[in-house]
Amino acid sequence: MSGQRVSCGVEYAHVHEISLALQESGRSGYDFVSVPLVHPRFVREHIEGKAKDRPGAFTRSDLLLTSSDWNSLVVGRLSQTSCVLCESEEWTVRSNHEAALQQELTYAAHLGLPAIMVSLTSARCVNLARLLHNRVAAGVSYQVWVKVSLQAPCDLSRQLRSDMPEFDSDFMTDTWTWWNRFHSIANIEKKIGVALEITADLPEKDVMERWLGEPIRCAILPTSIFLTNKKGYPVLSKLHQSLVKCLFKLHVQFIISGPMRHSHVKLYQQYLDHILSPEGDALVDFARGYEDFLQCPLQPLMDNLESQTYEVFEKDPVKYAEYEKAMVEALKEKIPDELKDEKEIVVMIVGAGRGPLVRKALAAAQIAQRKIKIYAVEKNPNAVVTLQSQQDENWGNLVTVVSCDMREWDAPEKADLLVSELLGSFGDNELSPECLDGAQKFLKDDGICIPSSYTSYLSPVQSSKLYNEIRQSRERDKHILAHFETPYVVYLQNKKELAPSQPLFTFSHPNRDSVIDNRRYKSLQFKIVIDSVIHGLAGYFETTLYKNIKLSIKPDTHSKGMFSWFPILFPLKEPIPVRCGDICEIHFWRCSSKKNVWYEWCVTSPVITPIHNPNGRAYTIGL
Amino acid sequence: MSGQRVSCGVEYAHVHEISLALQESGRSGYDFVSVPLVHPRFVREHIEGKAKDRPGAFTRSDLLLTSSDWNSLVVGRLSQTSCVLCESEEWTVRSNHEAALQQELTYAAHLGLPAIMVSLTSARCVNLARLLHNRVAAGVSYQVWVKVSLQAPCDLSRQLRSDMPEFDSDFMTDTWTWWNRFHSIANIEKKIGVALEITADLPEKDVMERWLGEPIRCAILPTSIFLTNKKGYPVLSKLHQSLVKCLFKLHVQFIISGPMRHSHVKLYQQYLDHILSPEGDALVDFARGYEDFLQCPLQPLMDNLESQTYEVFEKDPVKYAEYEKAMVEALKEKIPDELKDEKEIVVMIVGAGRGPLVRKALAAAQIAQRKIKIYAVEKNPNAVVTLQSQQDENWGNLVTVVSCDMREWDAPEKADLLVSELLGSFGDNELSPECLDGAQKFLKDDGICIPSSYTSYLSPVQSSKLYNEIRQSRERDKHILAHFETPYVVYLQNKKELAPSQPLFTFSHPNRDSVIDNRRYKSLQFKIVIDSVIHGLAGYFETTLYKNIKLSIKPDTHSKGMFSWFPILFPLKEPIPVRCGDICEIHFWRCSSKKNVWYEWCVTSPVITPIHNPNGRAYTIGL
């Protein structure tokens, strides 16, 4: 149901003939319909078993549509009254409406619907959450879409406040807390997601963004939020457009609801289809299909990369251009213009792979008009084959190919420039520090390292989607702890960053400390500005290649179009609920043994977690 | 090291000859000594590897004692300075002291000490906690005793407040939060426990009680807290005595510390030995060895009890006496004195077991001077053998033994009195309601049920000990969820009840409702009065046998000396930290199918947990 093209349904308050409704909606360009499971006139009394005695069926027959239509085109809505009254404190009222819901849920399963929808209208939803959770836990085919409005109606929140004096008023009017309460109780399943109803007034930025960390399956657009343009067509305000585009990136489906306010219902679908056409951005294009997909970080030092991996990353349109600029600057710095023909600059590319930096170094020498001599050092014998063939065919004696681990190479001379591309999503996590510490013995005292420094960044993020992905991989594999003590490389989309990222560990090269120690320990404090839930820590890096030439994957300084790195995610074993004003304190260690490097982490405020990955028990990076 | 007699050690600030110290302490009645692992004069420099160059050993040789003495008689204390300075923000300082601690930890393992001790002097203990956690996680033989004082010294807290302005002052001066912080980070192991240093001034009751929910291994009694009685002997104040007795019940060991203030060091040990002699209480005697031991609740309806189980419970000195009183009252109520010789009262004992209630009914009839006729109904054929032999030998035709499930029995006449003992630790959890609903068909319209009603009670409790017991059983068995979704019957000792228990579900008999439904749902709200951690929900019951004759296992109304029931504990999958002033909201359901009854539960404030035991997936009670 997701993909490039927008998937759009239409909601019917009630239908007389469901097959006609389907025909009409299909002709208008819609992909599916949302209808009540049971007509409100079928009043049911389950008290004292009387329901059995009432004559006639309680809803329409399954024969009205083919199974394949039920299975793919119809979202069934549970009775609103029963959803509310199954929270009643009166035993008979509650029991009656529980039974009504159970009957509807059973019927939805009988029809084989792809999804059912249930509405939350207050934070009083514990019993409803339990009923649905238990149904899903027992095994059902349908998804559960939990309809929540972006904003609580004013009169409703006033009423709720008098109903539930035990809760503070923010709690009552913040609809996200309703959903969070429901989802926290019923959170074991991917099957339960949000159907977010967009309101005419949009809440403030943080409130909107927080929804982007939730598993939104569907966005409901009431016709009342559409404006009318000069030609009489429905359009959305700029803010609404931008929200709808964000949601579309999360593969959300849309539903048009409410009375038609324009000449034809098809106009709403056509408008959405119009504004939701793909954008042109190298990173977005590259990353399509990788959204929120968990990958294990590469271990290029311990493992040899495959040809395809090299091929993908060599295509980055930004990274190598910046390396070239940095090398031009460094070559000019090394030898002043007046001496440029007299001296030769020794450039060593360590971890040369299949040669992209060799090519950029040759290009940089041309631009800078400097004479250079290149050593291309590579430990992967498969990549060395590619290097040697280029040397034979193109580079000639400008380039010397060395098949060796840079930490062990006995270089015949010392370098003016040491160029490497050993950075991972977290900067140092592919062991660039250890490699370059080994390689710098053949750098001249006044030699230059490119990159000259890099810094990892960390921020707390909310993403129940990613948390559940990790948990479910855990349940499959039965490695109880390992999945929550392992970082993941992931193109983070369905998430909310709860505070701006902060710098964590910095490494500079060459490292002239008397004792080189790449272990680190730092604690960071983040101020939380909105009630939310921390599911993990997002990691990024910035690097200075040379002087002011930088690369970054940190959201606010991201090098536009660069796709070589997705962020890294350090999970937490348990979600941490936080309130506005809380301080989130994170402790992070970079540890090492003779064989490995690893990270350990924990949270100490507002609650305390155990150490994650102690002794590197779940995840290490091999030296 | 634990048991009936108090185990008591003595702390040496430093020792010249450890073998002499051991001899002396042994002669004075002590079981072990606490000594520094390393003498402070052995200054170590680990910076830049210089430690290797310093001549000589860094501490005393292992040859000074035999291995068996090291293994059983010596608790080693880590260097205080290093414990504090491994939190330094200066890399070289921190690194040096981390290395010093690692050296001491390695040496403690080399000696094979039974325990090491580490002191907390502030909440700044994250790196120390991590070091010790990781050591223990990697596998060590010793226990780690974390020394924490009951009260922070005033000057210390003033200093800390200026050191760590990010924390509020309560946090700084409440030493429990130091320990909780340490333990939350390093909580994976039973190996880490508290060494609680008792202060001259004792904190308020809630603060004291909260420690009783922690895994206290050792209590340190400075000589300065002892008073001197008229004869010149050391004694403790009444409050201190009572605290020491509470700790002794938790199998805590004691250490006397500080300069000797009385004529001989042996006097302290003798005094403790004197005040810690066992008490005489039927419940305490019965429960010895069962403290905090997790048991699965009985399922007497589905399983047949064993003879030994009957035997144990028949010995209860209180329960059957109260049943007798209730029956006397009910017999008198049934027939007025003036008609006592004319009418016969039909008493049915349903679930008669091996006959204790039959015997009490016969005794009650004698006391009340009423004529009775007894039916003893029992479904367990093994117990019926016992009943029949007593009928043959003692009871004659006063008693008719019926081998049948009470729910299926076709009684030849109706009963005046229906007497049962079907209650579990949570009242209805052995399905008394369902059994009696089935049996009441042969109760006369004006018949009396004994018990006439019962109510379950619930309260949130803190007990990291029990939480860890459950978790470790989980890790052994790999049933990831089941152990946290199952209630346990347990003699709760190492716990703190965080709020008074509240009534949950009530059942009354006979049940004259038009539709009988034993499902229940209720939410309870508890006000938290001290920063603490909720690990589970303690369950109790009260029952009214007849009129004002009651039995109770609720702490504040517990029937003194009655040992038939220990409390029940409903675990939570994750500990919930709570702050003073928080509302703890608990939802509890009693659910049923045709075959089973089960409970489901969740917490919704201050944080939200998932539903525990949905659909009875981990635990049901068979009908």
Side-chain angles (χ1 to χ4, degrees):
Chain A
M1 303 212 284
S2 67
Q4 286 284 94
R5 189 183 150 275
V6 59
S7 167
C8 195
V10 63
E11 174 178 310
Y12 289 91
H14 46 84
V15 288
H16 296 290
E17 294 226 26
I18 191 163
S19 57
L20 290 182
L22 268 182
Q23 279 173 30
E24 180 196 307
S25 65
R27 272 199 305 268
S28 304
Y30 291 92
D31 301 286
F32 62 98
V33 298
S34 152
V35 297
L37 271 164
V38 170
H39 194 282
R41 81 165 175 269
F42 290 100
V43 178
R44 281 147 297 159
E45 307 88 15
H46 285 269
I47 304 165
E48 305 182 15
K50 280 186 191 155
K52 284 177 196 153
D53 307 330
R54 200 177 46 73
F58 72 96
T59 187
R60 66 179 76 80
S61 158
D62 54 356
L63 296 177
L64 294 174
L65 293 180
T66 63
S67 283
S68 69
D69 282 356
W70 285 122
N71 295 347
S72 58
L73 304 179
V74 180
V75 173
R77 298 201 302 279
L78 293 181
S79 302
Q80 186 56 26
T81 313
S82 294
C83 289
V84 172
L85 291 179
C86 75
E87 304 294 336
S88 169
E89 289 184 2
E90 285 299 316
W91 183 85
T92 46
V93 174
R94 189 176 70 237
S95 181
N96 188 28
H97 288 282
E98 278 186 16
L101 286 178
Q102 296 287 17
Q103 193 180 35
E104 296 187 18
L105 291 169
T106 304
Y107 198 67
H110 171 75
L111 294 175
L113 301 187
I116 60 163
M117 201 185 299
V118 51
S119 277
L120 295 192
T121 52
S122 84
R124 182 161 276 170
C125 61
V126 176
N127 200 35
L128 180 66
R130 173 184 155 270
L131 285 173
L132 284 160
H133 167 270
N134 289 11
R135 241 331 143 114
V136 171
V140 290
S141 57
Y142 48 76
Q143 298 216 352
V144 177
W145 289 359
V146 182
K147 178 176 166 184
V148 191
S149 187
L150 255 182
Q151 302 250 47
C154 301
D155 54 340
L156 177 71
S157 51
R158 201 162 42 239
Q159 178 210 323
L160 291 170
R161 218 169 290 151
S162 66
D163 277 8
M164 300 173 80
E166 69 268 28
F167 294 112
D168 65 37
S169 63
D170 273 1
F171 183 77
M172 297 315 310
T173 55
D174 179 355
T175 58
W176 175 83
T177 65
W178 306 354
W179 154 252
N180 188 48
R181 194 168 160 88
F182 184 98
H183 194 226
S184 300
I185 291 165
N187 75 348
I188 65 153
E189 291 288 338
K190 276 188 182 183
K191 294 229 158 193
I192 296 177
V194 180
L196 187 63
E197 186 179 50
I198 311 303
T199 46
D201 291 335
L202 294 178
E204 56 183 297
K205 186 162 165 288
D206 277 316
V207 174
M208 300 261 284
E209 284 182 357
R210 188 176 45 179
W211 281 108
L212 303 182
E214 298 300 338
I216 305 180
R217 302 270 177 270
C218 166
I220 299 169
L221 307 178
T223 53
S224 59
I225 69 167
F226 284 86
L227 312 172
T228 304
N229 72 5
K230 287 180 198 158
K231 295 180 182 171
Y233 290 120
V235 294
L236 291 171
S237 74
K238 282 268 185 292
L239 276 176
H240 281 88
Q241 283 183 45
S242 136
L243 172 60
V244 162
K245 284 176 184 174
C246 282
L247 292 169
F248 182 58
K249 280 190 196 158
L250 299 178
H251 301 291
V252 158
Q253 297 182 279
F254 293 86
I255 290 181
I256 301 295
S257 74
M260 201 185 1
R261 290 177 47 248
H262 297 84
S263 61
H264 197 287
V265 69
K266 72 182 178 189
L267 298 176
Y268 304 109
Q269 188 276 335
Q270 285 171 355
Y271 176 71
L272 287 183
D273 200 39
H274 167 65
I275 64 169
L276 296 176
S277 50
E279 295 170 33
D281 176 289
L283 171 56
V284 172
D285 290 345
F286 173 78
R288 188 159 292 128
Y290 282 97
E291 294 91 346
D292 299 313
F293 178 74
L294 299 169
Q295 299 174 280
C296 288
L298 292 174
Q299 295 235 3
L301 188 55
M302 209 168 68
D303 307 329
N304 286 323
L305 299 183
E306 292 172 6
S307 183
Q308 195 188 346
T309 310
Y310 286 117
E311 188 178 283
V312 166
F313 291 113
E314 284 169 14
K315 288 182 181 153
D316 194 298
V318 177
K319 175 182 162 189
Y320 293 109
E322 297 302 309
Y323 264 95
E324 184 180 286
K325 280 188 211 162
M327 286 192 276
V328 168
E329 289 301 308
L331 290 173
K332 286 184 177 169
E333 172 82 16
K334 270 286 109 185
I335 297 182
D337 272 343
E338 53 276 21
L339 299 177
K340 66 182 182 182
D341 296 324
E342 296 178 18
K343 284 186 67 179
E344 191 180 59
I345 303 173
V346 178
V347 178
M348 290 182 181
I349 317 277
V350 289
R354 306 196 313 174
L357 285 181
V358 177
R359 293 189 288 273
K360 288 298 180 189
L362 292 167
Q366 281 214 318
I367 294 164
Q369 298 180 291
R370 295 296 187 276
K371 286 163 61 175
I372 65 169
K373 176 180 180 185
I374 299 178
Y375 290 90
V377 184
E378 175 54 46
K379 72 154 181 54
N380 176 357
N382 310 307
V384 167
V385 174
T386 318
L387 287 172
Q388 279 168 333
S389 74
Q390 288 173 93
Q391 195 256 330
D392 277 354
E393 292 169 22
N394 309 320
W395 301 334
N397 55 11
L398 278 178
V399 178
T400 307
V401 175
V402 180
S403 178
C404 186
D405 186 317
M406 72 182 84
R407 293 169 294 178
E408 289 151 18
W409 182 40
D410 188 13
E413 62 182 315
K414 288 200 169 188
D416 297 291
L417 247 65
L418 189 65
V419 187
S420 65
E421 48 165 334
L422 304 169
L423 300 184
S425 297
F426 204 46
D428 60 273
N429 66 306
E430 294 182 9
L431 308 192
S432 176
E434 284 73 11
C435 292
L436 295 180
D437 290 346
Q440 71 181 18
K441 65 178 180 288
F442 45 81
L443 181 69
K444 287 180 187 167
D445 286 348
D446 64 348
I448 293 170
C449 274
I450 295 177
S452 62
S453 73
Y454 36 90
T455 299
S456 49
Y457 284 78
L458 209 61
S459 68
V461 291
Q462 168 172 325
S463 174
S464 51
K465 160 137 191 205
L466 286 166
Y467 182 79
N468 276 322
E469 289 284 348
I470 297 168
R471 185 170 53 184
Q472 287 179 10
S473 66
R474 175 180 77 164
E475 285 173 4
R476 273 198 303 276
D477 293 11
K478 295 196 180 168
H479 290 117
I480 298 174
L481 296 165
H483 293 281
F484 281 99
E485 298 196 327
T486 303
Y488 297 89
V489 166
V490 54
Y491 183 47
L492 293 172
Q493 291 296 296
N494 197 169
K495 62 94 186 46
K496 154 101 174 124
E497 199 166 76
L498 297 176
S501 59
Q502 294 180 23
L504 185 67
F505 303 143
T506 295
F507 295 86
S508 298
H509 298 286
N511 184 341
R512 302 297 189 201
D513 292 349
S514 57
V515 177
I516 291 183
D517 194 321
N518 293 317
R519 292 178 303 161
R520 295 285 188 279
Y521 168 37
K522 194 166 179 181
S523 64
L524 300 174
Q525 298 196 325
F526 299 89
K527 177 108 177 182
I528 301 297
V529 297
I530 188 168
D531 290 2
S532 40
V533 178
I534 306 174
H535 291 103
L537 315 172
Y540 315 103
F541 77 93
E542 275 185 359
T543 177
T544 298
L545 294 177
Y546 185 63
K547 289 186 172 169
N548 62 345
I549 299 162
K550 295 169 192 280
L551 298 176
S552 167
I553 65 162
K554 194 158 77 82
D556 55 330
T557 59
H558 199 292
S559 306
K560 187 161 170 55
M562 182 171 73
F563 63 66
S564 286
W565 296 275
F566 292 151
I568 198 164
L569 176 71
F570 293 89
L572 295 173
K573 289 180 210 173
E574 296 297 328
I576 299 177
V578 287
R579 304 296 303 258
C580 175
D582 278 353
I583 297 294
C584 167
E585 184 175 76
I586 295 167
H587 294 252
F588 222 93
W589 291 264
R590 188 183 199 267
C591 310
S592 64
S593 70
K594 283 179 186 165
K595 290 183 182 167
N596 295 306
V597 173
W598 66 94
Y599 303 102
E600 301 180 11
W601 61 97
C602 72
V603 173
T604 55
S605 169
V607 301
I608 306 177
T609 68
I611 298 287
H612 287 62
N613 195 33
N615 303 321
R617 69 176 167 193
Y619 164 78
T620 60
I621 313 148
L623 272 166
Chain B
M1 304 213 285
S2 67
Q4 286 285 92
R5 191 182 149 274
V6 59
S7 168
C8 195
V10 63
E11 175 179 309
Y12 289 90
H14 48 82
V15 288
H16 296 288
E17 294 227 25
I18 190 162
S19 57
L20 289 181
L22 267 183
Q23 279 172 30
E24 181 195 308
S25 64
R27 270 199 305 269
S28 304
Y30 291 92
D31 301 285
F32 62 98
V33 299
S34 152
V35 298
L37 271 163
V38 171
H39 195 282
R41 81 164 175 269
F42 289 99
V43 178
R44 282 148 296 160
E45 308 89 16
H46 286 267
I47 305 165
E48 306 179 14
K50 279 182 192 159
K52 287 176 195 153
D53 308 331
R54 199 177 44 73
F58 71 97
T59 187
R60 66 179 76 81
S61 158
D62 55 356
L63 296 178
L64 293 175
L65 293 181
T66 65
S67 283
S68 68
D69 283 354
W70 284 122
N71 296 347
S72 58
L73 304 178
V74 180
V75 174
R77 298 200 302 280
L78 293 181
S79 301
Q80 187 55 27
T81 313
S82 293
C83 289
V84 172
L85 292 179
C86 75
E87 304 294 336
S88 169
E89 290 184 1
E90 285 297 318
W91 183 85
T92 47
V93 175
R94 189 176 71 239
S95 181
N96 187 27
H97 289 282
E98 277 186 15
L101 286 178
Q102 297 285 17
Q103 192 180 37
E104 295 186 19
L105 292 168
T106 305
Y107 198 66
H110 171 75
L111 294 174
L113 301 188
I116 61 163
M117 200 184 301
V118 52
S119 278
L120 295 191
T121 53
S122 84
R124 182 161 275 171
C125 60
V126 176
N127 201 34
L128 180 66
R130 173 183 156 271
L131 285 173
L132 283 160
H133 167 271
N134 289 10
R135 241 331 142 114
V136 172
V140 291
S141 58
Y142 47 77
Q143 298 215 351
V144 177
W145 290 358
V146 182
K147 178 177 166 183
V148 191
S149 187
L150 256 182
Q151 302 250 47
C154 302
D155 54 338
L156 177 69
S157 51
R158 202 162 39 240
Q159 180 210 321
L160 290 171
R161 217 169 291 152
S162 65
D163 277 7
M164 299 172 81
E166 68 268 28
F167 295 112
D168 64 37
S169 63
D170 274 0
F171 183 77
M172 297 315 309
T173 56
D174 179 356
T175 58
W176 177 83
T177 64
W178 307 353
W179 155 252
N180 188 49
R181 195 169 160 89
F182 184 97
H183 194 224
S184 300
I185 292 165
N187 75 347
I188 65 152
E189 292 288 340
K190 276 189 182 181
K191 295 227 158 192
I192 297 177
V194 180
L196 187 64
E197 188 179 51
I198 312 302
T199 46
D201 291 334
L202 294 179
E204 55 182 298
K205 186 162 164 287
D206 277 318
V207 174
M208 299 260 284
E209 284 182 356
R210 189 176 46 180
W211 280 109
L212 303 182
E214 298 298 339
I216 305 181
R217 301 269 177 273
C218 165
I220 299 169
L221 307 178
T223 54
S224 58
I225 70 167
F226 284 86
L227 312 172
T228 304
N229 71 5
K230 287 179 198 159
K231 296 182 183 170
Y233 289 120
V235 293
L236 291 172
S237 75
K238 282 271 184 291
L239 275 177
H240 281 89
Q241 282 182 44
S242 137
L243 173 60
V244 162
K245 284 176 184 175
C246 282
L247 292 169
F248 182 59
K249 280 189 195 157
L250 300 178
H251 301 289
V252 158
Q253 297 182 278
F254 293 86
I255 290 180
I256 301 294
S257 74
M260 202 188 356
R261 291 177 47 249
H262 297 84
S263 61
H264 198 286
V265 70
K266 72 181 178 191
L267 296 175
Y268 304 109
Q269 189 277 334
Q270 285 171 355
Y271 176 70
L272 287 182
D273 201 38
H274 167 66
I275 63 169
L276 297 176
S277 49
E279 293 171 34
D281 176 288
L283 171 57
V284 172
D285 290 346
F286 173 78
R288 188 159 292 127
Y290 283 97
E291 295 92 345
D292 300 312
F293 178 74
L294 299 169
Q295 298 175 279
C296 288
L298 291 174
Q299 295 233 2
L301 188 54
M302 209 168 68
D303 307 330
N304 286 323
L305 299 184
E306 292 173 5
S307 183
Q308 196 188 343
T309 310
Y310 286 117
E311 188 178 283
V312 167
F313 290 113
E314 284 169 14
K315 288 183 182 154
D316 194 300
V318 177
K319 175 181 163 189
Y320 293 109
E322 296 302 311
Y323 264 94
E324 185 180 284
K325 279 188 212 161
M327 286 191 277
V328 168
E329 289 301 309
L331 290 173
K332 286 185 178 169
E333 172 82 18
K334 269 287 110 188
I335 297 184
D337 271 342
E338 53 276 22
L339 298 177
K340 67 182 182 183
D341 295 323
E342 296 176 19
K343 284 186 68 180
E344 192 180 59
I345 302 173
V346 178
V347 177
M348 289 181 182
I349 318 276
V350 290
R354 305 196 314 174
L357 285 181
V358 177
R359 294 189 287 273
K360 287 299 179 191
L362 291 167
Q366 281 214 317
I367 293 165
Q369 297 179 290
R370 296 295 187 275
K371 284 161 62 176
I372 65 169
K373 177 179 180 187
I374 298 179
Y375 291 90
V377 185
E378 174 55 45
K379 73 155 182 52
N380 177 357
N382 310 308
V384 167
V385 174
T386 317
L387 287 172
Q388 279 167 336
S389 74
Q390 288 172 94
Q391 195 256 332
D392 278 354
E393 291 169 24
N394 309 319
W395 301 334
N397 55 12
L398 277 178
V399 177
T400 307
V401 175
V402 180
S403 178
C404 187
D405 187 315
M406 71 182 84
R407 292 169 294 177
E408 288 151 17
W409 183 40
D410 187 12
E413 62 182 315
K414 289 203 169 185
D416 297 293
L417 247 65
L418 190 65
V419 186
S420 66
E421 48 165 335
L422 305 168
L423 301 184
S425 297
F426 204 45
D428 59 273
N429 66 306
E430 294 182 8
L431 308 192
S432 177
E434 284 73 12
C435 292
L436 295 180
D437 290 345
Q440 70 182 20
K441 64 176 181 289
F442 44 82
L443 182 67
K444 287 181 187 165
D445 286 349
D446 63 349
I448 293 170
C449 274
I450 295 177
S452 63
S453 74
Y454 34 90
T455 300
S456 50
Y457 284 79
L458 209 62
S459 68
V461 291
Q462 169 172 324
S463 174
S464 51
K465 161 134 191 210
L466 286 166
Y467 182 80
N468 276 322
E469 289 285 346
I470 297 167
R471 185 169 55 183
Q472 287 178 9
S473 66
R474 175 180 78 164
E475 285 173 3
R476 274 199 303 276
D477 293 9
K478 295 196 180 167
H479 292 119
I480 298 174
L481 296 165
H483 292 281
F484 280 99
E485 298 196 328
T486 303
Y488 297 90
V489 165
V490 54
Y491 183 46
L492 293 171
Q493 291 297 296
N494 197 169
K495 63 93 185 48
K496 154 101 174 123
E497 198 166 75
L498 297 176
S501 59
Q502 294 181 23
L504 186 66
F505 303 143
T506 295
F507 295 86
S508 299
H509 298 286
N511 183 342
R512 301 298 188 201
D513 293 349
S514 56
V515 177
I516 291 183
D517 194 320
N518 292 318
R519 293 178 302 160
R520 295 285 188 279
Y521 167 36
K522 192 166 180 183
S523 65
L524 300 174
Q525 298 196 327
F526 300 89
K527 177 106 176 183
I528 301 297
V529 296
I530 187 169
D531 290 3
S532 40
V533 178
I534 305 174
H535 290 104
L537 314 172
Y540 315 102
F541 77 96
E542 275 185 359
T543 179
T544 298
L545 294 177
Y546 186 64
K547 291 189 171 168
N548 63 345
I549 300 161
K550 295 168 191 280
L551 298 176
S552 167
I553 64 162
K554 194 158 77 81
D556 55 331
T557 59
H558 198 293
S559 307
K560 186 158 170 58
M562 183 172 71
F563 63 66
S564 286
W565 295 276
F566 292 151
I568 198 164
L569 176 72
F570 293 89
L572 295 174
K573 288 180 212 175
E574 295 297 327
I576 298 177
V578 287
R579 303 296 302 258
C580 175
D582 278 353
I583 297 295
C584 167
E585 185 176 74
I586 294 166
H587 294 252
F588 222 93
W589 291 264
R590 188 182 199 265
C591 310
S592 63
S593 70
K594 284 179 185 164
K595 291 184 182 167
N596 295 305
V597 173
W598 67 93
Y599 303 102
E600 302 181 10
W601 61 99
C602 72
V603 173
T604 55
S605 169
V607 301
I608 306 177
T609 68
I611 297 288
H612 289 62
N613 195 32
N615 304 320
R617 69 175 169 196
Y619 165 79
T620 59
I621 314 148
L623 272 166

